[in-house]
Amino acid sequence: MARTAVPYSSLVPNGQFADPAGTAVTSGAGNGGQVAASFPELTVLRVANASGGSGTVSVLPGSLPLAAAGGQGAFTATVANSATAWLGPFESGRFIQNDGSLIIETSVAMTVTAFKIPRNT
């Protein structure tokens, strides 16, 4: 299966927006989600698990030449059933992929929302 596109939901400086529903992400290696044209240092992920059991979410490391610190490995967090976790921001030097994206994989189906933090707040 292909990775699911996880679009950014930009936070609004000095304003508000409706709570986005997020994107359903399928579990398993090679599946998961992808935030295209990412800004890792400005990215926070909200991950919700309603799968019926505990699961893990991983932000995969990038590879050379962009991710010089990719050898440190993936960032992995456990998300209990019916729980929500907030992850990030992330380091470009560790997590950015050669195509400029971030890749998220989960061990169970989860809902992922990528928030972009505005620079002018």
Side-chain angles (χ1 to χ4, degrees):
M1 278 185 107
R3 297 189 193 282
T4 302
V6 177
Y8 271 119
S9 294
S10 293
L11 298 174
V12 181
N14 304 312
Q16 69 179 34
F17 65 96
D19 188 19
T23 303
V25 172
T26 307
S27 64
N31 295 330
Q34 183 173 22
V35 180
S38 67
F39 296 89
E41 285 80 7
L42 303 177
T43 302
V44 175
L45 302 175
R46 179 183 65 191
V47 182
N49 180 2
S51 68
S54 182
T56 59
V57 59
S58 298
V59 178
L60 299 186
S63 58
L64 291 172
L66 296 179
Q72 293 180 25
F75 168 82
T76 302
T78 300
V79 183
N81 182 45
S82 300
T84 300
W86 291 82
L87 314 174
F90 302 95
E91 297 174 72
S92 294
R94 180 174 172 189
F95 297 106
I96 197 156
Q97 302 297 312
N98 287 336
D99 64 358
S101 68
L102 283 177
I103 295 178
I104 304 120
E105 289 190 348
T106 61
S107 65
V108 297
M110 296 189 193
T111 301
V112 177
T113 308
F115 290 97
K116 185 175 175 187
I117 302 167
R119 297 178 118 177
N120 59 344
T121 58

